[in-house]
Amino acid sequence: MADRTYLDWPFFEPHHGELARRLDAWAGEHLGAHAGGDVDGQCRELVRQLGQAGWLSHAVAGRDVGGHADAIDTRAICLIRETLARHDGLADFAFAMQGLGSGAISLQGTPEQRRRYLSRVASGQALAAFALSEPQAGSDVAALACSARSEGDSYVIDGQKTWISNGGIADFYVLFARTGEAPGARGISAFVVDADQPGLHIAERIDVIAPHPLARLEFRGCRIPASARLGAAGEGFKLAMRTLDVFRTSVAAAALGFARRALHESIAWARSRQMFGQSLADFQITQTKIAQMATLLDAASLLTYRAAWLRDQGRRITREAAMAKMTATENAQQVIDMAVQMHGGMGVRKGCIVESLYREIRALRIYEGATEVQQLIIGKDLLRG
Ligand SMILES: Cc1cc2nc3c(=O)[nH]c(=O)nc-3n(C[C@H](O)[C@H](O)[C@H](O)COP(=O)(O)OP(=O)(O)OC[C@H]3O[C@@H](n4cnc5c(N)ncnc54)[C@H](O)[C@@H]3O)c2cc1C
C-alpha cells in the first residue's frame, strides 16, 4: 500500500523488514472493517486476534512467558505500531496497550509476576492497562497523590487515576502510587492490581474524539498483597520512565503510520480527482504539498527509528525518544491536515479515511507527555551537558 523503502535503512536487521511485510499482509486481510458502536467489544476482539496470530508475542519480553525474544525489541514494537496504525487505529491501540500495560512487568517483574501476567498478555487472554495519570497530576506526574499504605503483608490503596486507556475492560492495571519513602518522584512505587480487586471502582467512562476504552478509576481501601509490588519500594517513578522510553518511541511510530496512510490516500486522490481540465496531481501546488508531506514523514521516521535502534543497543534514550515523539506527532498532524485539505469537502466527511486520521492523530500530541513536556525534557538534557 505505502512506500516501504525505509525498511532497508541501516537501523533494521533483516528480520525486522520481514516482520513488517508479514504483518502488512496479515493486516490487509484481517483489519479495518469495524461495524462501529461497541468499542469495548472491538478492542477485546482485536486483542484476541492479535494474540492468536502471534503479534502480541512482541509486546512482552521473555521466551519463557510467550514472548518473541528475551528482551524488548523496540524496533519490532515500532514497526508493528506503524504498520497497524496505517491499517487501523484501534488495532494499533489494542497492541500498544498490551505492551504499555505490561511493560513494567517485562522490565521488572518477579518470575511469579511474569508467569502470572505476561503469558496471558502475549496470547491475548488478558488485557493490560497503565495507570499513572491523575486529575491533578498529568504533565506534573511526580505530583501524583494516589497512595499505597504498607500494612503488614499488604498495601492499602486510596486515590484516583484518570485517562486510563483500557480502563473498564482491562484484566489488570499496572499502578503507580505514593509510598512515601522520600518526597516527589522518589516516593512512588509500582504495583499490579487485578481488575476484580475489591476497592477498585470504574468511576467514570470517558469519551474522546477517536473512541477507545478510557476511564477514571477510584481506589477506596483497596487491599493488595505486598507481593503485588513491582520492583523496589520508591523505585516506581524510574520504572514508569523506563517503560515510557520504549512506548514514547512507539507513539512516534504510530504517528508515522497515520501520516503514511494520509500521504498514500492523498496521492491516490490527487491522481483521480479531475478539475480545470486536468487531474489535481498535475498542479504544481499539489506536487509541492506532496513533497512537504513526504519530507515531514521521512524526517520524523529517521528520528523515530534512530531512537528505537539506540535503545536496542542498550543506550539511554530519554532525549532521543522525546525528539522522536515530539517530531513525529507534530509532523503527522501537519501531514494529515494537508491531506484533509487536499480532499476538499470529502476530507471532512464522516467515513472518509483522512477524516478519521484527523481525529486519531490529535491525542498523540498530548499523551505519554505532551509536546511541551518533550521540549522541556530535550532542553534540560542538553543544558545539563
Ligand atoms: C486519549 C488519552 C489516553 C491516555 N491514556 C493514558 C493511560 O493509559 N495511562 C495514563 O496514565 N495516562 C493516560 N493519558 C493521560 C495523558 O498522559 C495526560 O493527558 C498527559 O500527560 C497530559 O496531562 P493533562 O491532561 O493533565 O494535561 P496538563 O498536564 O494539565 O497540561 C495542559 C497543558 O499544559 C502544558 N504544559 C505542561 N507543562 C508545561 C510547562 N512547564 N510550561 C508550559 N506548558 C506546560 C501541556 O503541554 C499541555 O499543553 C491519556 C490521555 C489521553 C488524552
Side-chain angles (χ1 to χ4, degrees):
M1 174 205 280
D3 171 23
R4 278 182 287 158
T5 49
Y6 65 96
L7 293 174
D8 298 328
W9 287 352
F11 296 123
F12 300 115
E13 292 164 34
H15 68 89
H16 289 120
E18 197 197 313
L19 170 73
R21 287 186 190 93
R22 268 195 305 117
L23 176 59
D24 196 29
W26 180 87
E29 206 177 310
H30 293 89
L31 299 179
H34 304 301
D38 174 21
V39 78
D40 289 2
Q42 288 167 19
C43 266
R44 285 197 192 94
E45 174 56 18
L46 282 165
V47 168
R48 193 195 60 75
Q49 270 183 292
L50 291 167
Q52 208 167 48
W55 306 116
L56 292 178
S57 67
H58 294 274
V60 304
R63 286 190 181 90
D64 56 328
V65 287
H68 187 78
D70 283 332
I72 287 177
D73 181 339
T74 321
R75 287 166 292 174
I77 289 177
C78 287
L79 285 171
I80 290 174
R81 289 204 63 182
E82 169 163 355
T83 307
L84 291 176
R86 187 154 47 73
H87 285 273
D88 178 350
L90 206 56
D92 164 58
F93 168 82
F95 176 85
M97 286 319 302
Q98 293 299 91
L100 176 65
S102 68
I105 307 176
S106 280
L107 290 170
Q108 198 75 67
T110 61
E112 170 54 23
Q113 289 166 338
R114 294 166 51 76
R115 243 191 326 273
R116 179 155 178 205
Y117 295 101
L118 294 182
S119 47
R120 288 190 296 138
V121 170
S123 63
Q125 287 165 307
L127 275 78
F130 179 84
L132 178 65
S133 304
E134 297 181 6
Q136 299 305 324
S139 304
D140 184 12
V141 75
L144 66 83
C146 180
S147 68
R149 197 174 65 253
S150 176
E151 271 187 16
D153 278 351
S154 318
Y155 279 95
V156 180
I157 303 167
D158 284 287
Q160 287 188 48
K161 292 286 164 184
T162 194
W163 302 115
I164 306 309
S165 296
N166 270 353
I169 65 166
D171 292 285
F172 67 88
Y173 296 84
V174 165
L175 170 78
F176 298 87
R178 187 158 295 288
T179 37
E181 291 72 20
R186 285 173 294 120
I188 293 168
S189 303
F191 302 90
V192 199
V193 184
D194 290 328
D196 58 5
Q197 198 75 27
L200 163 54
H201 306 274
I202 305 301
E204 181 188 14
R205 294 296 298 264
I206 304 170
D207 282 335
V208 285
I209 55 177
H212 69 241
L214 202 60
R216 180 166 62 83
L217 315 180
E218 267 178 22
F219 294 87
R220 289 183 233 128
C222 175
R223 186 176 290 275
I224 56 168
S227 59
R229 199 184 67 220
L230 272 169
E235 297 285 316
F237 189 78
K238 268 194 223 154
L239 184 54
M241 295 306 121
R242 281 175 62 208
T243 310
L244 287 176
D245 273 352
V246 178
F247 287 94
R248 240 173 218 162
T249 309
S250 82
V251 174
L256 297 178
F258 292 135
R260 220 174 275 287
R261 180 66 182 265
L263 176 59
H264 171 81
E265 296 296 323
S266 300
I267 291 172
W269 176 259
R271 283 181 177 147
S272 67
R273 177 72 176 154
Q274 297 296 310
M275 60 177 73
F276 305 108
Q278 53 186 349
S279 77
L280 184 55
D282 291 326
F283 293 98
Q284 286 189 335
I285 287 181
T286 309
Q287 293 157 19
T288 65
K289 282 278 180 278
I290 296 287
Q292 283 176 48
M293 292 162 89
T295 309
L296 284 165
L297 186 46
D298 269 9
S301 204
L302 285 162
L303 284 177
T304 302
Y305 289 111
R306 174 186 71 164
W309 173 78
L310 279 173
R311 190 187 173 281
D312 289 342
Q313 311 310 305
R315 306 266 283 274
R316 183 177 160 263
I317 58 154
T318 303
R319 188 206 309 171
E320 289 82 0
M323 285 180 172
K325 202 252 176 194
M326 171 180 80
T327 307
T329 57
E330 293 291 333
N331 286 11
Q333 178 87 62
Q334 282 187 58
V335 169
I336 292 167
D337 189 56
M338 285 189 225
V340 168
Q341 192 70 11
M342 202 178 289
H343 278 70
M346 285 303 287
V348 291
R349 183 170 176 173
K350 274 206 159 184
C352 177
I353 288 169
V354 294
E355 180 271 341
S356 70
L357 293 170
Y358 192 75
R359 289 183 288 104
E360 289 279 5
I361 191 60
R362 191 61 186 85
L364 276 66
R365 292 168 56 206
I366 296 170
Y367 61 60
E368 293 189 39
T371 293
E372 294 75 9
V373 171
Q374 308 306 331
Q375 287 169 333
L376 292 173
I377 292 171
I378 299 162
K380 277 186 190 153
D381 192 61
L382 283 161
L383 289 165
R384 220 182 351 248

